Amino acid sequence: MPVIGYATLSGRALEECDDDLAGQAEVIARACQQRGMALVEVVREAPTGQGPLRVGLSDGRPGLRYALDRIAAGEARGLVVPGLRRLTRSPAELGPIVDWFTRRGARLVAVAQGLDTAEREGRIAAKVIIEVSRWERERLTEGVLWSVSTLPVPSAGACDADDGGAENLGDAAVPITFP
């Protein structure tokens, strides 16, 4: 079975990153050999900084998008990562990625966790990961909604004449839209 390896860099010094990438590539190659998978290539992701949480499949990670596109095109049947932390930065992001593999019948192997969705236990773990990720996204959304609901609503006359032209909203509800 042809698979793609995926290695990521952290924000450390360049020399450390090169060593880290080589170590990740070795872990990926060893896992492929042990499982009888043909490693097509190892995609390396450049460091991007931590940035805001994004729940998309590969937002801000062109290497991951490239690997997923190759899998979707049938050029490979799975992805091997040294560990789930290399695949995503948060539990909220992880579920949609694991779900993507599940829906396509593609294989996901996370070496550090012993996760292999080609095995029964791995498929069960994938379902749990997807559900926990959903809970985490709901928790984060509830936290945002709670934070917004605690913002003070300006009362009538609360804005001065010297407000720089701001409109007095009084007690009117302000619609808030989330993407």
Side-chain angles (χ1 to χ4, degrees), residues 148 151-155 167-177:
V148 169
L151 292 174
V153 176
S155 60
E167 182 179 339
N168 182 349
L169 299 175
D171 291 324
V174 179
I176 298 174
T177 308

Side-chain angles (χ1 to χ4, degrees), residues 1 17 38 51-52 57 85 103 124 173:
M1 167 183 283
C17 290
L57 283 182
R85 292 187 68 177
R103 286 184 286 114
I124 292 169

Side-chain angles (χ1 to χ4, degrees), residues 32-112:
C32 289
Q33 184 178 26
Q34 291 170 349
R35 290 174 170 82
M37 298 180 293
L39 183 59
V40 175
E41 75 175 296
V42 175
V43 176
R44 293 168 173 88
E45 194 76 74
T48 59
Q50 292 303 317
L53 172 69
R54 295 182 180 130
V55 184
L57 283 182
S58 61
D59 293 340
R61 293 174 282 176
L64 180 57
R65 170 52 44 204
Y66 168 79
L68 296 177
D69 287 346
R70 290 201 59 197
I71 293 166
E75 297 170 20
R77 295 284 305 133
L79 187 75
V80 180
V81 295
L84 292 175
R85 292 187 68 177
R86 295 295 182 169
L87 187 57
T88 182
R89 291 184 296 265
S90 77
E93 290 179 320
L94 185 57
I97 294 172
V98 173
D99 186 50
W100 186 91
F101 283 92
T102 301
R103 286 184 286 114
R104 283 166 181 75
R107 188 173 187 177
L108 175 62
V109 176
V111 180

